[in-house]
Amino acid sequence: MMALYLTQMSRNTKTFNEVTDFIRGLYQTKDFIPLHAPLFRGNEKKYLNECIDSTFVSSVGKFVGEAEKRFAEIVGADYAVAVVNGTSALHLALRVAGVKAGDEVITQPLTFVATCNAIRYLNANPVFVDVSLRTLGLSAESLKDFLESSTIVKDGRLYNKTSGKRIAACMPMHTFGHPLELDEIKELCDHYNLTLVEDAAEAVGSHYKGKHVGQHGKVSAFSFNGNKVVTSGGGGMIVTNDEELAKYAKHLSTVAKVAHPYEFYHDELAYNYRMPNINAALLLGQLEELESFLVNKRELSQKYQAYFNKLEEIEFFQEPENCISNFWLNVVLLENREIRDEFLKITNDQGVMTRPAWNLMHNLPEFRNSIVHSDTHSKWLFDRLVNIPSSVIQ
Ligand SMILES: *Cc1c(COP(=O)(O)O)cnc(C)c1O
């Protein structure tokens, strides 16, 4: 038994070393290979210089409006509001969607902590419903089961039978850029009078049935952090087709100041979340590169797919049916937790950055007491999933 186990381990070691070499071959470098590095090869410097020369680097300047317009066009939505990061975009998206203190928001256990932090910033609470093994995002089937078994409609509002709390919204996340089962999720949300807020932080450039994600619900949030497909240093965008919501999000992001030539009047408690002009300048340059980044990243994912298809020990995660993923972070699945850990150790020891999935949200102190409807797939994925280097290849 021991001998067999060792043979298995050494066979994996050999394969994982070969994988490391393969990735080095793709990136043509002996240096450290990060998971996702930004690339500036377009008008970024030009716009940044314009910004500095004009002195408008902060809360006033033309680049914010230009980046918002450009982003709305890319997504195919009517309005985009630029904010300081993806987390603040989620916070305001939930706020304008009507989430109030004491409410519950349905989301997935397998996500980045920002999704759930945004819910808690409003003194609301997450309810965890499992992800799909086909999309890595919220499962429509699990959502249906939760809604049928655990909720009740009173006076047109949805309540959780277990906690008695109102369920105000459903905020699924497009994991690693792979689109959610949006038709099914939207149909359920509509049926139960549940506001759909997409956490599209990772999904710039991803399409579901020919439509860019982030416009299927009432409002959505994107991130332009340095590790995302395009970056503004730090930044985020709230996207909606609802003019009132867009105006309100903008108002809340600019300390709720009522427009006036010189007077300061703020009509409610709000935030300083507006994206500075200098970040917007960088973002505009990056958005011009988005198409070419997406083509490059798709080619990379196809190379990975062809390579991993030949390996028995490692499965490459493919984009869901009828979807175009941005392949933000490529995903491989290992046989079990031990083998995953061996893969992580070998690759990272050799300077090829790989990462496991995030710890499931209800394993974090802040969300330990949250309601968990289902997490079987999330646990299964956590044990096996690894992200591998996915930067645009120069
Ligand atoms: C990146 C990310 C965010 C937002 O992150 P910021 O760093 O605040 O821009 C939110 N949700 C998910 C799922 C993310 O991956």
Side-chain angles (χ1 to χ4, degrees):
M1 197 59 213
M2 195 60 196
L4 233 173
Y5 179 71
L6 282 174
T7 317
Q8 170 71 26
M9 285 300 271
S10 58
R11 186 164 62 91
N12 285 334
T13 307
K14 185 166 170 287
T15 305
F16 298 167
N17 279 311
E18 283 165 11
V19 171
T20 309
D21 291 341
F22 176 74
I23 297 174
R24 286 213 171 279
L26 290 173
Y27 283 94
Q28 302 261 310
T29 177
K30 294 201 157 42
D31 298 338
F32 172 74
I33 300 174
L35 212 52
H36 206 287
L39 177 60
F40 306 109
R41 62 176 179 196
N43 287 322
E44 293 92 341
K45 273 190 185 163
K46 182 174 161 244
Y47 296 158
L48 285 170
N49 276 330
E50 264 182 53
C51 202
I52 289 167
D53 291 343
S54 74
T55 77
F56 288 106
V57 296
S58 190
S59 47
V60 180
K62 66 166 189 176
F63 285 111
V64 176
E66 284 183 22
E68 286 174 340
K69 185 164 171 282
R70 182 89 187 207
F71 195 74
E73 281 164 14
I74 287 168
V75 178
D78 292 337
Y79 306 96
V81 177
V83 289
V84 286
N85 54 43
T87 309
S88 57
L90 287 170
H91 181 188
L92 286 191
L94 287 172
R95 168 96 186 252
V96 300
V99 174
K100 301 254 186 331
D103 286 345
E104 289 179 354
V105 176
I106 299 166
T107 191
Q108 56 203 58
L110 183 81
T111 185
F112 178 56
V113 70
T115 313
C116 297
N117 284 345
I119 297 168
R120 290 290 303 130
Y121 293 162
L122 290 160
N123 287 314
N125 288 297
V127 173
F128 295 110
V129 174
D130 208 2
V131 298
S132 154
L133 292 177
R134 284 185 306 274
T135 67
L136 308 178
L138 186 75
S139 152
E141 201 185 325
S142 300
L143 178 62
K144 183 166 190 276
D145 184 73
F146 168 73
L147 292 168
E148 282 176 357
S149 68
S150 312
T151 67
I152 181 167
V153 179
K154 265 190 293 185
D155 307 325
R157 290 174 150 209
L158 191 67
Y159 290 87
N160 187 331
K161 279 202 278 195
T162 314
S163 63
K165 304 281 190 192
R166 178 173 86 115
I167 306 174
C170 174
M171 183 160 69
M173 195 275 280
H174 300 280
T175 310
F176 305 124
H178 294 297
L180 292 152
E181 307 166 301
L182 280 170
D183 278 351
E184 291 82 359
I185 291 172
K186 186 162 168 31
E187 197 183 312
L188 285 165
C189 286
D190 288 348
H191 186 259
Y192 283 86
N193 203 8
L194 201 49
T195 304
L196 176 59
V197 179
E198 288 171 71
D199 181 346
E202 308 181 350
V204 177
S206 295
H207 290 72
Y208 176 80
K209 296 188 179 170
K211 239 170 96 175
H212 199 293
V213 304
Q215 49 168 314
H216 294 73
K218 193 157 192 133
V219 55
S220 66
F222 289 83
S223 166
F224 309 115
N225 187 34
N227 63 351
K228 296 291 184 349
V229 175
V230 288
T231 184
S232 55
M237 202 71 88
I238 299 156
V239 169
T240 180
N241 289 320
D242 183 321
E243 188 182 358
E244 286 305 309
L245 282 198
K247 278 189 181 155
Y248 191 36
K250 185 61 134 185
H251 188 60
L252 288 174
S253 75
T254 49
V255 287
K257 185 181 183 298
V258 177
H260 189 280
Y262 42 84
E263 265 188 34
F264 291 98
Y265 184 75
H266 307 265
D267 61 5
E268 66 177 301
L269 178 65
Y271 311 89
N272 178 17
Y273 277 176
R274 181 190 162 98
M275 180 186 282
N277 201 41
I278 194 155
N279 296 91
L282 185 58
L283 179 59
L284 187 64
Q286 286 270 285
L287 291 178
E288 291 172 1
E289 299 300 304
L290 177 61
E291 264 320 303
S292 79
F293 286 179
L294 292 171
V295 170
N296 188 304
K297 285 173 70 64
R298 173 159 292 272
E299 282 169 10
L300 171 65
S301 76
Q302 284 164 351
K303 283 179 192 159
Y304 273 140
Q305 189 175 323
Y307 176 74
F308 287 115
N309 280 351
K310 288 183 284 184
L311 298 185
E312 233 173 68
E313 302 89 331
I314 307 178
E315 184 191 332
F316 181 78
F317 186 82
Q318 322 217 8
E319 67 198 334
E321 243 177 275
N322 300 317
C323 292
I324 296 174
S325 174
N326 64 4
F327 286 97
W328 170 47
L329 293 183
N330 288 284
V331 168
V332 291
L333 299 169
L334 284 300
E335 267 166 73
N336 57 44
R337 178 87 160 251
E338 263 181 326
I339 298 176
R340 178 202 78 166
D341 289 344
E342 199 198 349
F343 181 81
L344 287 166
K345 178 151 178 34
I346 289 175
T347 47
N348 284 294
D349 280 354
Q350 297 186 30
V352 171
M353 185 170 169
T354 61
R355 285 290 180 266
W358 311 279
N359 268 296
L360 300 186
M361 289 301 109
H362 52 283
N363 290 329
L364 306 180
E366 178 67 17
F367 307 108
R368 190 162 285 156
N369 299 321
S370 303
I371 296 175
V372 181
H373 166 265
S374 43
D375 64 356
T376 312
H377 295 155
S378 301
K379 277 184 173 153
W380 190 92
L381 287 166
F382 177 73
D383 284 342
R384 291 164 180 80
L385 189 153
V386 175
N387 290 125
I388 54 177
S390 302
S391 312
V392 170
I393 295 177
Q394 298 189 51

